[in-house]
Every structure is written in structure tokens, then in C-alpha cells.
Amino acid sequence: MSSRRVSLISVTPAVFLPALVFETGMGALTPMLALSGRELGASVGEAGLVLALLGVGQILGDVPAGALAARLGDRKAMLIAAGVAVLTLLGCAMARTLWQLEIAVTATGATNAVFVLARQSYLAEIIPARLRARAMSTLGGMSRVGAFVGPFVGALVVRDHPVRDVFWLALGCAVAAGLIVLFVPDVAEPVRTHEQRSPAVSVRSLVVRHRQVFLTLGMAVFLVGAVRATRQTVLPLWADHLGLDPATTSVVFGIAGLVDTMTFYPSGKIMDRAGRLWIAVPSMLVLGLTQGLLPLTNGLVSLTVVAMFMGLGNGIGAGILMTLGADVAPPKVRSKFLGVWRLCADSGSAGGPLVVSAAAGLGSLAAGIIAMGAVGVIAAGALMRWVPRYSAFATRGTASKAPPAEAGHQPQAR
């Protein structure tokens, strides 16, 4: 590996830039997915299911993504993901029935899983541990920036055109992200000697060996994923309930994304210096409580205010799950472990919107939203209970007591 010192700035062109471009496309289509379903004749409950299928696709792609990154390397995995995303987004744009849209959205979620995991695995390998939370928060923050930029661009696209035209925008972003990965070299090659020299480990044996982590901290991660994903569902559905048009809904979503973009780097810095819990717990409390307040809104102004506070809760938690995953992932099976780790989070991402969709189908959208707000408070308690057990970086105190190898004085890339 090169002797060049690895820093956040040095990895920006190869890591953060393609993630930003790809997530801008995802940010543009996310608030439009449920509305695209409505355009094809879906009920409110069925429309929520369309967005939930994006999370289902990520679930289906998480474990294969870890295996693919371990086998082919992070860059090749990303190129494959970008290429397949072009095809799946083309399918979304060309869908003429609800089931066609649902299949294409599910496949798009799988490509997103590969793209995100590959960069997470790469950063976990090369970034010094003292910068780990900032690096992961910045990577997570790229989706926040995309959530800010994408909806505004999407609003321009759908203002005088059908909602489905937003899929062509996302397709262009996928092409651009793939070209960046293809032509911009990584600043350093990850050390793969551990994984290459170790005997092949099946996913089943990995889960059995680390079952205590997945059954405890993994369950907390599941709850966090559920609360986060529900925010993306309830905002457009409640806006539709209030009678707002798609372009206005996209702008509200984008304003919330702006709040996200203002907080991801400071939160990463706090996690590196004070510990993970100082961000993880407040993030879930704010997000859970504001979701519980959403059904009390009755117009554009009140909806926008609550959406901004939801963006704050979501934004300060940018990268927390990726950071915790990097903290606890065994180096010898890092990529595969992170695939299962993301499976925990993405299972929650699919489950949360499904709860809201089921409640809406039963005639009580507000009840589903309030229930998921309560889950946010439960998630905060679960993180407080389990993070200190498995991460040396839970607080400044736990980091000071950890052995040097655990405390993360990783060697610089060489």
C-alpha cells in the first residue's frame, strides 16, 4: 500500500463523491415512490408498501453484498451495483402496473445495499480509528446531502411532468456514480491479508459465532433502522393526507434534508471525542418524539417545522450504525460481518414502514406513526444498554479503559 497518509480529504474523490452522486438519485426518488404507487392506482397502504420494498431489496442484497465485496473487492462490487442499478431504475421508469414497479423498486434496493456496504468496508479497513466516526458520519452524511439536493431536483422534474420521470434522474445519477468509481482511483488499497489467508467462513457459522452481538446490539440496530425508515414513509403519506401536492411534498422533504446536512460532521466529531452514546441516544429520542408529534400537524407550516426536527434527529445520527459496525466487526471476516450487520438495520428499515402501511390499511395512519415514535424511545434505551458492552468507544471512559488494540490505534496505510 502507498505510504500516503489516509485522511478524510484524501478519500473524498473515490469514496464520498460517488456516494454523494448515487444518493442524490436515491434522495430524488424516495419521496416519490409512494406517490408513484398512487399514480398507478395503489391505495394509501399499498403506496406505503412500495417504499417499504426498497428496504426489502436491501435486505435481500445485504448478505450477498458482503460476500461479493469480500470475493471481488470493494471497487468491483460498486461497479457491478451501479450497472445493475441502471437496469432496475429503467424498470421503475417503464413500469405500467403496480407489480412491475414493486419488482423494480425491490431490485433497486438490492443494488443500493452493495454500493453502500462496499464503501463502508473500505473505510473501516483504511481509516485510522481516531477518525472512524467522522469518516462513517461523512459517508452516512452523503445520503443526507442527497436527501437535501435530490428532492429539490426531483421537485423540478415532477413540477410539469409525471411523477415517474424522477426515475430517469436517478438513473443518470447511477451512471455518473459508476463512472467516478471506474476512473477515480482509491487513495490506498485495503489490507485483505486476513480475509485471504483465513479459511472460508460461511454466513451461518459467522452468525452462530457472533450471535450474542446480533441478538443484543443487533436488535438495537434493527429498531434504529425501523425508526429512520419510517420517517421517509410518514412524511409523504401525511403530506398526502393533508392534501399537499407532490412538488410541495418534495420541497418539505428537502428542507428536512437540509437540516440533516448541517449536523453529520459535528456529530461524527463528538462520537470520536466523547463516545458513540453521546450521539446515538439523543438521535433516537429526538426522532422518536418528533414522529409522535407528526399526527398533530394540520398544514404546511406545522408539517415543515416537525419535519425539520425529524431531520435534526436523523442528521445527528448519520453514520452511527456504520460506526458501530466498524467498531465490532472482526477484521478476519469484516465484509461478511458487515453484510449481516446491515441486514439487522435494513430489516428494521423494511419493518418500520410495513407497520405504518398496515395501520393505514386498517384506517389509522396516525396510530402507526405514533407507534413508531414509541419505538424510537425504546431504541434509545437499547443502545444505552448494549453499546458499552461491545464497543470500546461507547463513551470517553470506556475508550480510556480499553486495551490499545481495542481502543483503535490502527496503523496508517503503508
Side-chain angles (χ1 to χ4, degrees), residues 235 238-245 248-249 252 293-308:
L235 277 178
W238 193 256
D240 182 66
H241 172 76
L242 295 178
L244 302 182
D245 61 79
T248 302
T249 299
V252 172
L293 292 174
L294 186 64
L296 300 180
T297 63
N298 55 12
L300 177 60
V301 175
S302 58
L303 177 68
T304 302
V305 171
V306 171
M308 290 174 66

Side-chain angles (χ1 to χ4, degrees), residues 97-121:
T97 64
L98 185 60
W99 68 266
Q100 290 174 343
L101 177 64
E102 289 171 344
I103 292 174
V105 169
T106 302
T108 300
T111 66
N112 192 42
V114 178
F115 203 90
V116 173
L117 184 137
R119 290 293 81 174
Q120 178 188 2
S121 178

